Amino acid sequence: MKEIDKYTLFLSKTYRRKLFSKFLAAITDFKLVQPGDRICVCISGGKDSMLMAKLWMMYNEYINSDLKIFYLVMNPGYNKVNLDMIKDNLKRLNIEAKIVDTDIFKVAYAQEKSPCYLCAKMRRGALYRIAKEEGCNKISLGHHYDDVIETTLMNMLNAGSFQTMLPKVHSDNYKGMELIRPMYYIREKDILLFCEKMNLSFIRCACKFTEKTTTGEIKSQRKETKLLIAKLKKEMNEHVEENIFSAANNVVFEKILGYKDDQGHHSFLEIYDKEGK
């Protein structure tokens, strides 16, 4: 009988309800897995993607042994400390992943304008390319519940649009490829608690740009949004997080000024004027 490691034991028993059960719920609710899928699990080296990889391992072993999964670490040019930490965590969690080296950091940060945009674009392109080369039709990313509500609020406050982070998205540039987010229901605080209980440490930010700053950090809209949500929860409404999450699933078309689709922008007047005639 195969020996169960302590991480799997903790996730399957002590912390099943907060992590593994929510992982399963997202897969079921959003139909993230279909027969014949080969899923590329993208591991960045941070806490979220590492936990996601471990949850996929459990799913593959205990729920669906027929599912084909490929574990990928796409190395954009991490420094030795970060890369060694990733390798060590993969070994500790018993995750067999393929590490593919690229020169993305080197190319992106040689540019004077918008290095972060170029870096993100190149990483996304490399990820899709590698996944396709490995015969995968789906890419799994480690975005969680808090990422969803933060993205929703950031779009409202900074982009003037109401749009959220979807649990699955068809690729526009890679036909037949789909991006999925199985950690959609999992709270970040529970991921942090898992890491603390299991005495795990992961890379926080491997960005080359932050290495050049005095603090190792740069001002982040996401970080500011996270602080805003915490403040609203404390001073305004303890259910503010759940309400932001639910709002994206409770849009009342009769009560919005307009919306966009493939045909363009539509005003509420289109419906309003018809009803008045």
Side-chain angles (χ1 to χ4, degrees):
M1 186 175 180
K2 186 178 180 180
E3 183 179 354
I4 301 176
D5 64 73
K6 64 179 181 179
Y7 308 106
T8 299
L9 193 63
F10 185 77
L11 289 169
S12 62
K13 293 187 178 297
T14 309
Y15 231 49
R16 182 183 180 91
R17 184 175 63 85
K18 292 184 180 294
L19 294 175
F20 192 48
S21 291
K22 290 185 177 181
F23 184 82
L24 296 178
I27 290 175
T28 301
D29 290 352
F30 303 119
K31 298 180 174 61
L32 301 185
V33 173
Q34 301 296 331
D37 280 344
R38 178 169 168 80
I39 299 174
C40 175
V41 177
C42 183
I43 304 170
S44 66
K47 65 182 186 344
D48 306 329
S49 62
M50 280 286 188
L51 173 60
M52 175 186 65
K54 192 63 181 176
L55 291 171
W56 271 121
M57 284 184 64
M58 293 173 61
Y59 179 86
N60 204 186
E61 184 164 351
Y62 301 116
I63 307 298
N64 184 352
S65 59
D66 294 327
L67 182 64
K68 296 179 176 61
I69 301 179
F70 168 67
Y71 298 92
L72 169 68
V73 175
M74 196 275 293
N75 175 17
Y78 295 134
N79 61 38
K80 187 178 185 303
V81 173
N82 282 328
L83 189 57
D84 285 346
M85 181 179 285
I86 291 173
K87 291 178 179 178
D88 181 61
N89 283 325
L90 289 173
K91 185 176 181 180
R92 290 181 66 183
L93 292 168
N94 197 29
I95 300 169
E96 294 185 10
K98 181 176 181 180
I99 299 177
V100 179
D101 297 326
T102 72
D103 60 355
I104 291 175
F105 278 171
K106 181 179 179 181
V107 174
Y109 291 98
Q111 308 298 313
E112 293 184 3
K113 294 184 178 180
S114 305
C116 297
Y117 171 79
L118 180 59
C119 179
K121 183 178 180 180
M122 291 178 68
R123 292 177 75 166
R124 187 164 55 248
L127 175 59
Y128 276 105
R129 175 181 54 78
I130 296 168
K132 189 171 183 180
E133 289 174 354
E134 293 292 337
C136 299
N137 65 308
K138 290 183 178 178
I139 294 174
S140 179
L141 298 183
H143 297 120
H144 49 66
Y145 184 103
D146 295 75
D147 289 323
V148 175
I149 61 175
E150 289 160 15
T151 298
T152 304
L153 193 56
M154 285 169 64
N155 280 322
M156 291 176 64
L157 298 178
N158 300 303
S161 66
F162 184 85
Q163 53 182 309
T164 192
M165 183 181 281
L166 296 174
K168 60 181 179 180
V169 181
H170 289 294
S171 171
D172 292 329
N173 299 319
Y174 291 83
K175 188 177 181 181
M177 189 72 75
E178 189 175 72
L179 186 149
I180 59 175
R181 297 182 171 102
M183 296 177 70
Y184 207 77
Y185 291 144
I186 295 177
R187 296 304 310 264
E188 185 175 31
K189 62 182 180 181
D190 293 323
I191 299 174
L192 290 168
L193 185 57
F194 165 73
C195 296
E196 180 183 334
K197 293 290 185 182
M198 294 289 98
N199 195 29
L200 291 166
S201 298
F202 301 101
I203 65 173
R204 295 195 176 190
C205 181
C207 173
K208 284 287 185 181
F209 182 73
T210 60
E211 292 178 0
K212 298 177 183 179
T213 66
T214 56
T215 62
E217 295 183 2
I218 56 175
K219 188 173 181 180
S220 162
Q221 284 190 350
R222 186 167 294 277
K223 184 177 180 180
E224 294 299 320
T225 304
K226 190 185 294 288
L227 293 173
L228 174 60
I229 292 173
K231 183 178 181 181
L232 292 172
K233 181 180 179 180
K234 181 180 179 180
E235 299 179 2
M236 177 181 168
N237 185 343
E238 63 177 309
H239 301 295
V240 70
E241 294 162 311
E242 294 92 330
N243 290 340
I244 295 173
F245 189 89
S246 298
N249 198 43
N250 290 304
V251 177
V252 182
F253 267 71
E254 290 79 6
K255 298 295 182 180
I256 60 173
L257 285 173
Y259 66 94
K260 291 181 179 179
D261 60 17
D262 293 339
Q263 305 301 315
H265 183 270
H266 302 271
S267 169
F268 84 102
L269 290 173
E270 294 177 22
I271 299 174
Y272 186 84
D273 291 341
K274 289 180 182 178
E275 292 177 344
K277 290 180 180 178

